[in-house]
Amino acid sequence: MLTPKERLKLSLKRMPVDRAPCICPGGMMNMIVEEVMDLTGCPWPEAHSNPELLAGLSAGMYQCGGFENYGVPLCMTVEAEAMGARVGMGTKINEPKVTGYPITSVTEWRKLKPLDLAQGRVKVVLEAIKILKSKSSGVVPIIGNLVGPVSLAASLMEPTVYYKELCKNNRESHELMGFVTANLIRFGRAQLQAGADVLAIADPGGTGEILGPKMFREYAVPYLNQIIEAVQDLVSVGTIIHICGRLKSIYPELNLLRSDAVSFDSISSVKQVAEKIRNKAVMGNVSTYALERGTKERVKLLAQNCLHKGAAILAPACGIGPRTSLANIRAMVETAQEFGPFGHNL
Amino acid sequence: MGDSLKQKLLLTLSDAVVEMDEDKSVAAAQEYIENGFDAYEGIEQGLAHGMNRASRLYAEEQYFVPELLLCSDAMYAALDILKPCLKKAESAAKKRVVIGVVQGDTHDIGKNLVKIMLETAGFDIIDLGRDVAPADFVEKAKEIDAQLIALSTLMTTTMDEMKEVIDLLKKEKIRDQFKVLVGGGPVSGGYAKSIGADGYAPNAAEATKIAKELIAKGCRNRN
């Protein structure tokens, strides 16, 4: 029998497996629900700032029969905060979010703080990974998470101004992107050095729907690929990129991404993505709305459908709502367990 | 002579918006006003015309969010010149809308696009921004005697905040005073109906059309 970590590795490398893994990376792809906070005694918002609580909460999901991975952080504000953004830490059921931007234009990128690996919640995340490493005994894969470069840049200044400046101020936009990416690479490498097995990058602000194919190719693809390449020597299990929104306008660009897997939201169909993206494992995409509001039967049906259509890795389509029931998450995991072998006929 | 110059300037205003050319739209608006042409027509047949063309390009996936935002900059710059020249009656007859992203959600690009389209179409918009509490929508709508409340969210986890706003209107027994329009990534027509909203807009261009229809209906109810 494969361990969850071995299984995820094979799936990311598009090798045959006994069955598809069922994961949720963390980061923007929230993997935590209120029930797990209560069962582990590690609630939000405290867990975001304390390595023991963060590790305890993240490990709790697997221990409660949920997703087959650990993952940190459990929000998408760590990098922005470290680079100067003001962040509200949220509540037990609301994730932290950026409340104040450090710059007003891409031209001010030199004012941004370099991300300090030894301070604040960056340090909390790295320590939590070390704790998770000892909890996992090499059995459960640990996913380190990064906010994608476009989304991070759009968390450091007003997004509408940012998007306009991508058009108008090409040179300095690229300078900002280069600076943001260099900092993400350092954080990504540090997470892997601390013990993460997988690196997942989610770039909800850098979608084909927002940017269009031309700007996606100019501002999203090269910087995402820079990160993937810069961490290759440290990645033991694989890399994942999550892109939100409709994908149909950017299939050629998605084929340029160098991650092992591509994850996407429920608006895009697994079947179409599996047909169009030939060089990556397809991961997705059970509706988070169904997970939170639907019955177990409905969740199972949607999960079966994803697997039938060619998902190599079963995952929610986006971050799950913290009020999602553990029962529905277990139903999703059970569907993967019962579904049987994947990839043997490829 | 005057007529052909007016037509030419209206087309220039429209083109400047589509071409994202702020300098061009400002120059055309100034020349338009200096010649004493009607400001309302300048907005309607020049700027709004241009924004409609831009939103068509957006729907056809030739323009994306950055382009649409730049078009709106060119539009707003010219609007600032034309607006003070509107006759009183025209500005007073405006339709008032309260718009915002619901509590718990900070994704406001979609809301901003809808706001731009409504503003171009002549609506008077109070933008409450993002992460807005239900009570704030209701209070502001009462305060300015709005005809329409427009709610946006991108996240499945915050969709129910839209219902909260509608429930609060019901609780205060003022549901009939306002039309409620909802939209955003995860929202559907079916969902809008299920929470008791008056309308659902699948995109920014549709939002204007539906807002106009709803307000036309609402005015009949009020009178």
Side-chain angles (χ1 to χ4, degrees):
Chain A
M1 212 9 217
L2 295 168
T3 66
K5 184 168 152 181
E6 289 164 343
R7 186 177 294 115
L8 181 59
K9 181 169 184 169
L10 290 170
S11 298
L12 283 166
K13 302 299 171 193
R14 289 176 290 145
M15 307 276 276
V17 277
D18 54 348
R19 64 168 177 88
C22 177
I23 65 165
C24 188
M28 185 218 81
M29 299 273 285
N30 175 46
M31 61 178 293
I32 290 302
V33 299
E34 220 181 341
E35 271 178 79
V36 174
M37 296 182 207
D38 294 337
L39 288 167
T40 56
C42 304
W44 286 357
E46 292 81 2
H48 299 300
S49 316
N50 175 313
E52 282 81 24
L53 294 180
L54 185 58
L57 182 55
S58 179
M61 179 45 88
Y62 175 76
Q63 288 157 355
C64 295
F67 299 116
E68 300 168 314
N69 65 284
Y70 302 155
V72 287
L74 299 172
C75 69
M76 52 181 302
T77 56
V78 174
E79 299 92 334
E81 187 179 49
M83 294 178 73
R86 205 167 56 234
V87 169
M89 293 309 291
T91 64
K92 193 175 175 198
I93 51 163
N94 286 301
E95 299 174 69
K97 53 196 168 214
V98 171
T99 56
Y101 305 116
I103 56 174
T104 59
S105 160
V106 295
T107 60
E108 296 177 348
W109 68 268
R110 288 174 191 84
K111 285 193 196 165
L112 293 169
K113 284 199 285 185
L115 180 143
D116 187 344
L117 296 173
Q119 270 196 23
R121 290 197 293 134
V122 170
K123 187 179 172 202
V124 169
V125 169
L126 298 177
E127 292 195 344
I129 292 174
K130 287 178 196 156
I131 299 169
L132 287 171
K133 187 82 188 164
S134 64
K135 281 185 202 275
S136 87
S137 332
V139 170
V140 188
I142 302 168
I143 304 182
N145 286 277
L146 292 178
V147 170
V150 172
S151 306
L152 176 53
S155 305
L156 296 168
M157 58 182 284
E158 170 56 42
T160 52
V161 178
Y162 169 74
Y163 290 125
K164 287 190 282 193
E165 289 192 330
L166 290 184
C167 282
K168 287 199 298 193
N169 210 333
N170 188 277
R171 186 175 57 86
E172 274 154 321
S173 292
H174 278 294
E175 285 172 1
L176 168 66
M177 294 307 292
F179 182 72
V180 158
T181 304
N183 281 280
L184 286 171
I185 288 171
R186 284 200 302 121
F187 189 32
R189 287 186 64 84
Q191 291 189 53
L192 292 161
Q193 277 159 343
D197 305 300
V198 175
L199 192 68
I201 311 172
D203 211 350
T207 68
E209 261 182 314
I210 294 176
L211 298 176
K214 191 175 140 278
M215 286 178 62
F216 185 82
R217 192 183 278 250
E218 180 176 353
Y219 286 109
V221 173
Y223 297 105
L224 286 167
N225 279 344
Q226 271 184 31
I227 300 174
I228 298 291
E229 289 193 353
V231 300
Q232 276 315 320
D233 58 318
L234 296 172
V235 170
S236 60
V237 170
T239 53
I240 299 167
I241 292 178
H242 177 86
I243 303 284
C244 304
R246 268 179 234 279
L247 300 182
K248 70 176 178 6
S249 67
I250 51 164
Y251 283 124
E253 285 73 21
L254 291 177
N255 273 308
L256 299 174
L257 293 176
R258 300 206 183 102
S259 58
D260 295 309
V262 63
S263 160
F264 47 91
D265 79 28
S266 52
I267 202 159
S268 300
S269 89
V270 171
K271 184 160 177 278
Q272 195 179 64
V273 176
E275 275 165 18
K276 300 279 184 182
I277 311 284
R278 305 301 299 180
N279 59 357
K280 280 180 265 302
V282 170
M283 167 171 155
N285 69 348
V286 177
S287 153
T288 52
Y289 189 75
L291 272 167
E292 187 166 342
R293 311 293 158 81
T295 59
K296 275 199 295 189
E297 291 68 32
R298 170 100 184 122
V299 168
K300 284 202 158 188
L301 210 63
L302 289 173
Q304 278 165 2
N305 187 46
C306 289
L307 294 167
H308 270 300
K309 297 278 162 65
I313 300 164
L314 187 62
C318 191
I320 57 173
R323 281 170 280 200
T324 303
S325 73
L326 202 44
N328 275 4
I329 295 166
R330 286 190 188 124
M332 193 172 147
V333 177
E334 280 160 22
T335 309
Q337 287 167 347
E338 292 158 4
F339 197 81
F342 180 87
H344 290 273
N345 54 355
L346 288 182
Chain B
M1 181 63 204
D3 259 10
S4 74
L5 177 63
K6 185 176 171 186
Q7 288 310 317
K8 192 188 125 227
L9 287 173
L10 288 173
L11 185 62
T12 309
L13 284 169
S14 174
D15 285 348
V17 170
V18 175
E19 291 160 14
M20 307 169 253
D21 190 336
E22 206 172 313
D23 295 339
K24 186 172 170 178
S25 73
V26 165
Q30 271 157 356
E31 195 183 344
Y32 185 87
I33 291 301
E34 280 158 18
N35 279 280
F37 299 135
D38 182 65
Y40 183 77
E41 284 175 88
I43 295 170
E44 179 86 17
Q45 291 166 39
L47 299 179
H49 186 263
M51 274 316 287
N52 285 332
R53 285 165 63 197
S55 74
R56 211 171 313 134
L57 289 170
Y58 179 70
E60 289 165 3
E61 297 191 353
Q62 295 189 46
Y63 275 12
F64 294 88
V65 170
E67 288 87 354
L68 211 48
L69 291 170
L70 288 171
C71 290
S72 76
D73 275 2
M75 185 274 291
Y76 279 124
L79 192 63
D80 283 344
I81 296 166
L82 298 182
K83 236 183 186 169
C85 304
L86 279 175
K87 293 174 199 124
K88 279 255 156 54
E90 284 160 5
S91 44
K94 277 207 164 180
K95 298 156 178 81
R96 290 173 303 279
V97 177
V98 172
I99 194 168
V101 177
V102 298
Q103 192 156 47
D105 192 354
T106 55
H107 300 90
D108 62 355
I109 294 168
K111 182 266 294 170
N112 290 339
L113 297 181
V114 172
K115 177 188 164 191
I116 290 163
M117 296 311 293
L118 289 176
E119 220 152 30
T120 326
F123 290 81
D124 210 351
I125 312 285
I126 300 291
D127 182 4
L128 297 178
R130 47 201 186 184
D131 196 10
V132 179
D136 292 347
F137 280 108
V138 173
E139 283 313 306
K140 186 53 82 177
K142 285 197 291 196
E143 182 192 320
I144 65 159
D145 189 25
Q147 280 101 331
L148 182 75
I149 301 174
L151 306 172
S152 168
T153 190
L154 188 72
M155 304 201 300
T156 55
T157 49
T158 46
M159 277 164 76
D160 279 357
E161 291 293 325
M162 296 178 154
K163 185 172 181 294
E164 295 287 324
V165 176
I166 292 170
D167 288 348
L168 188 58
L169 290 172
K170 284 181 187 159
K171 202 174 133 204
E172 296 196 14
K173 303 206 181 348
I174 50 173
R175 177 68 187 87
D176 296 343
Q177 289 179 30
F178 309 99
K179 294 292 175 189
V180 178
L181 176 63
V182 298
V187 182
S188 65
Y191 180 77
K193 202 171 244 177
S194 78
I195 61 168
D198 299 296
Y200 157 70
N203 58 49
E206 287 286 305
T208 314
K209 206 179 101 203
I210 293 160
K212 281 180 179 166
E213 287 169 9
L214 287 177
I215 288 181
K217 249 191 257 172
C219 288
R220 277 201 297 278
N221 290 348
R222 279 187 178 194
N223 294 338

Coordinates of all heavy atoms in Angstrom, one line a residue, chain A residues 26-27 112 147 155 188 229 302 333:
Chain A
G26 N -3.9 24.2 1.2 CA -3.7 25.3 2.2 C -3.4 26.6 1.5 O -3.6 26.6 0.2
G27 N -2.8 27.5 2.2 CA -2.6 28.8 1.5 C -3.9 29.5 1.1 O -4.8 29.5 1.8
L112 N 9.3 48.8 -0.9 CA 8.8 47.6 -0.3 C 9.9 47.0 0.6 O 11.1 47.0 0.2 CB 8.4 46.6 -1.3 CG 7.1 47.0 -2.1 CD1 7.0 46.1 -3.3 CD2 5.9 46.9 -1.3
V147 N 1.7 32.7 -2.4 CA 0.8 33.5 -3.2 C 1.5 33.8 -4.5 O 2.7 34.0 -4.5 CB 0.5 34.8 -2.4 CG1 -0.3 35.7 -3.3 CG2 -0.3 34.5 -1.2
S155 N -1.6 42.7 -3.9 CA -1.9 42.8 -2.5 C -1.1 43.9 -1.9 O -1.2 44.2 -0.7 CB -1.6 41.5 -1.7 OG -2.3 40.5 -2.3
G188 N 9.7 30.4 -0.7 CA 9.5 29.0 -1.2 C 10.6 28.1 -0.8 O 10.4 27.0 -0.3
E229 N 11.3 26.9 -11.3 CA 12.7 26.5 -11.6 C 13.6 26.7 -10.4 O 14.5 25.9 -10.2 CB 13.2 27.3 -12.8 CG 12.4 26.7 -14.0 CD 12.9 27.1 -15.3 OE1 13.9 27.9 -15.4 OE2 12.4 26.6 -16.3
L302 N -20.1 14.6 -7.3 CA -19.3 15.5 -7.9 C -17.8 15.0 -7.9 O -17.1 15.2 -8.9 CB -19.3 16.9 -7.2 CG -20.6 17.7 -7.4 CD1 -20.6 18.9 -6.5 CD2 -20.8 18.1 -8.8
V333 N -12.9 12.3 0.4 CA -11.8 11.4 0.6 C -12.2 10.0 0.3 O -11.5 9.2 -0.4 CB -11.1 11.5 2.0 CG1 -10.0 10.6 2.2 CG2 -10.7 13.0 2.3

